[in-house]
Amino acid sequence: MHRPVLVAVLATFPAALPIALLAVRAPVPLIALAMFGSGIAADVFGVLWATTLQREVPEAALSRVSSYDWFGSLAFAPLGLLVAGPVAAHLGVGRALAGCAALIVLATAAALLSPQVRGLRAPRAAPGGEAPDGP
């Protein structure tokens, strides 16, 4: 994989699909299939992100960077849960779900605007198939 962060970010787009399907009241088997695909995409993201962090962040800072990453990833989850009910009550469940799906697409597209996301390349494998040492 030549551009792991780019592929990881692209793998977040499918997270919007099951939510959008819920918004339009799609058949349950279709929603389940979309969720299955979204779960696979989330695993791809997780593997590429964790591998890139380990490769690009110096070992002495990896624990701290990883903790900031998890904090940033989870910090707003309680706020989202807090506003989900009132937003759904005000807009309706379908519109709230559609808005959530749109936010996922917009946030993912915004991440693609970063040159670092698009440009970070994995090191080339050394002869014999092993990755070179160091970042």
Side-chain angles (χ1 to χ4, degrees), residues 4-108:
V5 176
L6 175 62
V7 173
V9 170
L10 290 172
T12 62
F13 274 117
L17 184 58
I19 299 168
L21 290 173
L22 282 168
V24 297
R25 298 179 181 225
V28 171
L30 185 59
I31 295 168
L33 183 63
M35 195 62 222
F36 181 76
S38 178
I40 290 171
D43 285 344
V44 168
F45 172 85
V47 168
L48 291 173
W49 184 252
T51 302
T52 302
L53 275 181
Q54 291 172 17
R55 186 178 51 243
E56 298 294 327
V57 176
E59 187 176 348
L62 185 57
S63 177
R64 184 173 39 249
V65 170
S66 182
S67 69
Y68 289 147
D69 174 43
W70 274 104
F71 177 76
S73 297
L74 301 176
F76 293 108
L79 180 61
L81 293 172
L82 179 69
V83 301
V87 168
H90 180 71
L91 298 177
V93 173
R95 288 175 125 177
L97 287 167
C100 181
L103 281 174
I104 292 169
V105 170
L106 288 173
T108 302

Side-chain angles (χ1 to χ4, degrees), residues 105-121:
V105 170
L106 288 173
T108 302
L112 292 174
L113 295 175
S114 169
Q116 291 85 0
V117 166
R118 294 187 318 270
L120 181 69
R121 293 185 179 271

